[in-house]
Amino acid sequence: MPYLGSEDTVRELRRALSNPNIQSDQLRYRNTILKVIRAMSQGVDVSGLFSEMVKACATVDIVQKKLVYVFLCSYASLNPELSLLVINTLRKDCQDPNPMVRSLALRNMTNLRLPSLVEYVEQPLTAGLRDRAACVRRVAVLGFAKLHNLQTNSEIDAAVVNELYSLLRDPDPVVMVNCLRALEEILKEEGGVAINKPITHHLLNRLKECDVWGQCEVLRILQRYRPQSEDELFDILSLLDASLVSPHPPVMAATLSLFLSLCSGLPAVSLAALERVRGPLLAACGSMSREMRFTALCHIQLLLRSVPGLMGVHYKRFFCGYAEPAYIKQRKMQVLVELVNDENVAMLLDELRGYCTDVNTDTAQSAISAIGHIGRSYSDRCLEILTGLLGLKQEHITSAVVQTMRDLVWVCPQCSDTVCLALEGCEESLQDSQGRQALLWLLGVYGERVSCAPYTLEVFIDGVRSETSLGVKMELLTATMRLFLCRPAETQDMLGRLLHYCIEEETDMCVRDQALLYYRLLHCGIEETRKVLHGRRSDPSLGVLIGRPAEPISQWACSFNTLEPLRQGTIETESASRGSPEHVTFDPKPNTDLSDTLNYSHIEKVHSGSDSTTQRTDSSADILASNITVPLSLSLSPALSPEEFEHLWLQQQALHAEQDPEKMKEEEDYTYMEERIHCPAIPHCSPQNLQAAMQLVNIQTLAFTPPHTLPWRVYLYTHTQRTSSADMTHSTLILGELLYTGEANQKVRVKKGTGDREVVVEGREDVQIKEQEEATGDGLSGRELSGKDGEEEGVKVTLKQQPRDDKALKGFLSILTTVLHTLSSDRA
């Protein structure tokens, strides 16, 4: 047929459909109808042929019937009155001896979706539920769900619901699954299909008869059921065991989701189920389907949140292939970051270094970011790679490296010297705004260590008129002000030029207001300016330095086998739109707000004499310290790296082991003390809550074991500052270890530098605690401890202080005890 306009096309098709010669030739008539469907699929409005197509449905040719029914269902809503003419033909076809014709008529009768035709459809559907052919019953069951959608406000027919419930035991598995879907739709307002014990066991026993998507539907609905006994629970788990290792990933995921729902109170069984699905998940990661691979990687990230070592042995399975799309490569790199350990870190870093030069810029930048995350635990190796990448002088690589270095020094301040040495000359390769903002932040915070910092800033200031990025201008203002405070002679002139431009010529009000703020701040004096601009240079709390704490499975179980894991990754990555890392707030979201729990209304606050330009003292630490008889404040500055902590801890441990206890008393620059605090709920507290509570009082936790693991340990440190009566400030470093072994029977003898304390715990039934202490001028005050029958063992606190300051140690122990008791009582 030659090309015609839409009106001419419809006119030509109507003439052909009405031609008796064509109607008498079945093949020519079918081809004409096929032309109508083709025109409809091309967007031509052929609704004017509705009456001709109604006549065409009266045929014994099944192919022609299907074509006509497609047309009628598409245009029925535009011709509701003419659609009544189709009902008689459809009802007649419902009585056809061919089951295919009967099912086709029922399906299209409900697909007309006209409320005026419901009364004509109900009787054929009811008869279809009892049809001897399974294909007809399948269509009839779903037809009732379609009728319910047409009349959502009508009352639910109890007879239909009972009929559908009875069909759950239909011998055809597709009918059974369709009944579940129909009941879910019809009973949506009542919570869906009711699942009891007989229905549950019937569905489980017939699970293998269903197809893949039928099994997924059954497993999803079974999550509502709760076993009535432990024996029934394990019977259900036994029936599900085979599906847990199914070769079909959707079935495996649905089964694991049901497992986690049923075993919410059995963490050991849940962990065993996660171990079982390791093989199927790894197989899904190698699927030919890209979508399946991506989905499997997202769900593996969920599992690693609770079992970090689940895929550790198979880390090579997550190496990126050359032809893989960028989104899969990026997700694989996130998984590799989770799997890094002492044994594979060299190989993983070498692999990631190869991805840094990928032709896809997003993949390259993701690889550099992954190296930065690993650098929180292995800083020296990662900095060596990042420094080498700067030598490539490629714009996108240099930008990503500088941003990664900025984030790395924020969480690992011990890396600052290496980063400062690597910054020289990299400004020439930076073109994007994010990279320049990162460089400016580093020059502002560490400008005194970068010899070329003033000259680099001068280049930015000379080109500020052509700068289009608002973030770069604001970061340039802050960086220049900070550099002026530490290198005033080299920066004074350029700062004046920058402030003059931003105040007098800049059109953006945000930049102008910030420049005015800094200008007026300078009028208040250098010391006031220093207090405002010189804050902390790092925040070690943002990075867990030795592994990430395992999360309870219950935190993510509800999102497993949903779209949630695909929308957001499990690794906490900083937003690419930010400039300065100190603008990012870290909220650990603890369950306990320590500042609200503790009551300090009766305590007088004592201000510390520490220098505000180099340290920030948390107000809560001051308040807690004021409960002691001496003014005491705690501080996290200067930050202590894990390597430095380990060196000092082992060094003092060796010193304590070699020296005689009598000599330890006379040691003036070192104090060692052990104490037991009765707070048995602390080892069961989540690491996030414990870390947040400690940081609230300026105590930094460096490493901890997962909860419910014995022996349970936490390593921490803080700096104390105590002001004596002569206005002298004494600063000390305190290293600490919290240990809980879970043994109720043991005898502990405690020694400290200024006196002898003996704590004896004997017997499991009658626990008597005796304390003897020789009082000295600077000794710790005595405490009366009492034991109770059946009381659990307390947490052993080991403290190492240098230089020695008994009063500061006493104050720190009081603060630590208050924090632990508060957390313990809240959990209880």
Side-chain angles (χ1 to χ4, degrees):
M1 183 177 66
Y3 173 78
L4 299 172
S6 60
E7 295 181 359
D8 295 335
T9 301
V10 173
R11 189 181 302 113
E12 182 69 21
L13 290 172
R14 180 182 290 110
R15 187 181 301 114
L17 290 172
S18 303
N19 191 336
N21 295 326
I22 295 179
Q23 292 178 356
S24 61
D25 188 339
Q26 185 176 349
L27 183 59
R28 292 179 63 189
Y29 198 30
R30 181 199 296 177
N31 289 336
T32 304
I33 294 173
L34 187 60
K35 291 178 182 179
V36 175
I37 301 301
R38 184 182 296 116
M40 182 181 70
S41 64
Q42 292 174 352
V44 178
D45 183 10
V46 290
S47 58
L49 303 176
F50 197 85
S51 58
E52 285 78 9
M53 295 295 285
V54 169
K55 299 175 184 178
C57 70
T59 179
V60 295
D61 184 6
I62 296 182
V63 176
Q64 182 175 323
K65 278 183 179 292
K66 288 183 177 180
L67 292 174
V68 174
Y69 287 157
V70 169
F71 177 90
L72 295 179
C73 291
S74 300
Y75 290 106
S77 58
L78 300 177
N79 300 274
E81 296 179 357
L82 291 177
S83 298
L84 286 172
L85 302 176
V86 189
I87 289 297
N88 290 331
T89 303
L90 290 174
R91 289 175 65 96
K92 181 180 178 181
D93 286 345
C94 289
Q95 308 296 326
D96 194 276
N98 188 343
M100 185 177 295
V101 175
R102 296 200 302 271
S103 62
L104 184 65
L106 274 179
R107 177 183 291 112
N108 290 279
M109 193 181 296
T110 54
N111 284 344
L112 292 176
R113 306 296 175 96
L114 294 175
S116 59
L117 303 181
V118 170
E119 56 181 319
Y120 304 102
V121 178
E122 288 181 343
Q123 190 275 330
L125 283 180
T126 304
L129 294 178
R130 303 180 180 89
D131 197 282
R132 61 184 180 276
C135 62
V136 180
R137 296 198 299 273
R138 297 174 185 177
V139 175
V141 167
L142 294 179
F144 276 106
K146 296 176 183 178
L147 287 187
H148 178 74
N149 281 334
L150 288 177
Q151 296 179 324
T152 54
N153 297 327
S154 62
E155 294 184 3
I156 299 174
D157 190 345
V160 173
V161 173
N162 292 335
E163 188 72 23
L164 292 176
Y165 269 115
S166 65
L167 284 176
L168 288 175
R169 299 188 178 273
D170 191 277
D172 185 73
V174 179
V175 175
M176 178 186 72
V177 175
N178 285 355
C179 283
L180 289 174
R181 291 168 176 160
L183 287 170
E184 281 286 286
E185 189 69 29
I186 295 173
L187 303 176
K188 184 186 299 183
E189 295 183 358
E190 300 179 8
V193 58
I195 300 297
N196 53 28
K197 183 175 179 179
I199 293 178
T200 299
H201 287 266
H202 171 72
L203 294 176
L204 288 172
N205 289 325
R206 298 193 57 190
L207 188 63
K208 295 181 180 179
E209 302 176 18
C210 304
D211 59 6
V212 172
W213 298 114
Q215 292 183 48
C216 294
E217 186 74 17
V218 171
L219 292 169
R220 182 186 65 83
I221 293 176
L222 287 179
Q223 291 190 24
R224 302 178 192 159
Y225 180 68
R226 287 294 173 265
Q228 301 173 3
S229 65
E230 187 172 323
D231 292 338
E232 183 188 358
L233 170 62
F234 283 101
D235 289 341
I236 294 175
L237 297 181
S238 299
L239 291 172
L240 293 172
D241 188 65
S243 300
L244 199 60
V245 290
S246 171
H248 305 290
V251 177
M252 177 273 299
T255 306
L256 180 58
S257 181
L258 178 57
F259 247 88
L260 299 180
S261 176
L262 293 174
C263 302
S264 57
L266 301 171
V269 179
S270 298
L271 290 175
L274 298 185
E275 293 283 348
R276 291 271 287 162
V277 300
R278 173 168 48 194
L281 279 174
L282 288 173
C285 289
S287 171
M288 295 298 294
S289 169
R290 294 178 174 182
E291 293 78 8
M292 183 64 69
R293 273 182 283 166
F294 180 76
T295 304
L297 288 169
C298 295
H299 283 79
I300 283 176
Q301 286 184 282
L302 273 186
L303 269 60
L304 292 177
R305 290 166 60 177
S306 294
V307 192
L310 182 65
M311 303 290 178
V313 182
H314 307 280
Y315 66 92
K316 292 184 180 180
R317 299 285 294 271
F318 301 99
F319 285 176
C320 301
Y322 177 79
E324 287 182 325
Y327 61 88
I328 291 182
K329 289 182 178 180
Q330 293 170 18
R331 191 67 65 158
K332 280 190 172 182
M333 284 185 280
Q334 292 180 0
V335 175
L336 288 175
V337 171
E338 296 288 333
L339 301 180
V340 68
N341 55 44
D342 294 339
E343 298 176 357
N344 60 25
V345 61
M347 183 172 291
L348 289 183
L349 287 177
D350 187 61
E351 185 73 15
L352 289 172
R353 176 165 47 188
Y355 304 153
C356 293
T357 54
D358 194 275
V359 292
N360 186 292
T361 58
D362 292 335
T363 301
Q365 292 174 349
S366 297
I368 295 171
S369 178
I371 293 175
H373 279 284
I374 297 176
R376 299 183 180 187
S377 301
Y378 303 94
S379 55
D380 293 339
R381 299 181 182 183
C382 296
L383 281 175
E384 182 181 353
I385 296 175
L386 294 174
T387 305
L389 291 173
L390 288 176
L392 298 178
K393 301 296 182 180
Q394 294 188 24
E395 177 185 337
H396 68 282
I397 293 180
T398 303
S399 175
V401 169
V402 173
Q403 293 179 63
T404 301
M405 285 182 168
R406 172 198 60 190
D407 299 336
L408 190 57
V409 298
W410 181 246
V411 298
C412 300
Q414 69 271 15
C415 306
S416 56
D417 292 335
T418 306
V419 171
C420 291
L421 292 175
L423 288 179
E424 298 187 9
C426 65
E427 70 278 358
E428 299 174 359
S429 304
L430 288 175
Q431 299 298 325
D432 69 309
S433 60
Q434 296 301 321
R436 285 180 291 168
Q437 283 181 252
L439 176 63
L440 289 172
W441 184 86
L442 288 168
L443 293 177
V445 175
Y446 296 100
E448 73 278 5
R449 304 188 196 176
V450 183
S451 59
C452 64
Y455 311 105
T456 303
L457 287 183
E458 189 170 17
V459 173
F460 279 96
I461 292 173
D462 291 341
V464 70
R465 285 178 171 81
S466 59
E467 179 60 55
T468 58
S469 173
L470 172 63
V472 172
K473 291 181 180 179
M474 299 182 73
E475 197 66 61
L476 179 60
L477 273 170
T478 304
T480 309
M481 285 289 294
R482 284 175 170 172
L483 192 62
F484 171 73
L485 296 177
C486 59
R487 302 172 70 169
E490 302 169 275
T491 319
Q492 181 176 358
D493 180 65
M494 67 178 74
L495 176 61
R497 287 189 284 119
L498 179 62
L499 290 176
H500 179 271
Y501 167 78
C502 292
I503 294 174
E504 300 294 337
E505 303 180 35
E506 177 60 46
T507 57
D508 190 277
M509 293 305 297
C510 294
V511 178
R512 183 176 180 275
D513 288 347
Q514 185 173 350
L516 281 172
L517 170 66
Y518 288 158
Y519 178 76
R520 292 164 181 166
L521 191 61
L522 287 172
H523 278 284
C524 297
I526 294 297
E527 291 304 320
E528 292 297 324
T529 306
R530 198 184 303 275
K531 291 179 182 179
V532 173
L533 291 177
H534 272 197
R536 287 188 298 176
R537 296 184 175 187
S538 64
D539 188 357
S541 66
L542 289 180
V544 179
L545 300 173
I546 303 179
R548 189 170 73 171
E551 298 181 11
I553 297 177
S554 58
Q555 289 192 2
W556 53 264
C558 59
S559 63
F560 190 84
N561 198 28
T562 65
L563 294 178
E564 186 65 26
L566 278 64
R567 285 197 290 264
Q568 49 178 256
T570 58
I571 296 181
E572 295 179 359
T573 56
E574 290 79 12
S575 173
S577 62
R578 63 178 173 83
S580 304
E582 64 260 36
H583 295 164
V584 178
T585 58
F586 173 67
D587 184 14
K589 295 186 175 81
N591 294 333
T592 304
D593 190 349
L594 191 65
S595 60
D596 293 339
T597 306
L598 301 179
N599 184 9
Y600 302 116
S601 58
H602 62 285
I603 299 176
E604 179 183 359
K605 181 174 180 179
V606 180
H607 295 275
S608 170
S610 60
D611 187 1
S612 60
T613 63
T614 57
Q615 301 181 11
R616 287 185 181 179
T617 303
D618 191 273
S619 60
S620 301
D622 289 340
I623 296 174
L624 274 172
S626 64
N627 195 27
I628 322 300
T629 57
V630 292
L632 177 70
S633 64
L634 304 183
S635 173
L636 299 179
S637 180
L640 202 63
S641 68
E643 294 81 3
E644 293 170 340
F645 181 93
E646 182 180 10
H647 174 72
L648 291 172
W649 183 268
L650 295 178
Q651 180 183 19
Q652 295 183 359
Q653 187 173 1
L655 179 65
H656 176 69
E658 293 173 2
Q659 288 188 351
D660 184 76
E662 294 298 328
K663 295 182 180 180
M664 290 288 297
K665 300 179 185 179
E666 302 173 0
E667 185 67 39
E668 293 297 331
D669 61 346
Y670 171 73
T671 303
Y672 175 90
M673 189 183 89
E674 292 181 0
E675 178 81 3
R676 284 198 178 275
I677 301 177
H678 288 272
C679 45
I682 284 295
H684 307 291
C685 181
S686 70
Q688 291 86 351
N689 290 352
L690 180 62
Q691 188 177 31
M694 291 295 182
Q695 288 171 357
L696 189 62
V697 293
N698 278 355
I699 300 175
Q700 180 63 49
T701 56
L702 278 182
F704 35 74
T705 53
H708 310 289
T709 303
L710 296 179
W712 177 84
R713 281 188 173 89
V714 174
Y715 290 99
L716 49 89
Y717 77 89
T718 191
H719 297 271
T720 66
Q721 286 199 345
R722 182 179 63 85
T723 305
S724 63
S725 56
D727 291 336
M728 297 291 293
T729 301
H730 302 278
S731 301
T732 67
L733 170 65
I734 297 179
L735 310 179
E737 177 195 46
L738 307 182
L739 173 63
Y740 181 79
T741 61
E743 300 175 0
N745 259 341
Q746 70 176 22
K747 185 174 181 178
V748 182
R749 189 169 298 275
V750 180
K751 299 289 184 180
K752 71 177 189 62
T754 58
D756 295 337
R757 167 176 295 186
E758 183 179 1
V759 180
V760 181
V761 182
E762 297 185 76
R764 183 179 294 272
E765 299 178 357
D766 256 340
V767 181
Q768 295 181 351
I769 301 177
K770 302 178 181 179
E771 182 179 24
Q772 298 175 354
E773 179 176 3
E774 272 185 26
T776 58
D778 295 332
L780 298 178
S781 60
R783 299 185 184 181
E784 294 183 2
L785 304 177
S786 59
K788 299 180 181 179
D789 292 349
E791 187 176 19
E792 297 188 36
E793 178 199 11
V795 175
K796 179 182 177 182
V797 181
T798 303
L799 300 178
K800 300 179 181 182
Q801 182 191 42
Q802 190 176 13
R804 172 182 167 185
D805 188 340
D806 295 328
K807 293 183 178 180
L809 191 62
K810 167 189 173 182
F812 172 75
L813 181 61
S814 176
I815 295 172
L816 183 63
T817 304
T818 304
V819 173
L820 296 180
H821 282 165
T822 302
L823 287 176
S824 183
S825 62
D826 179 79
R827 184 169 182 85

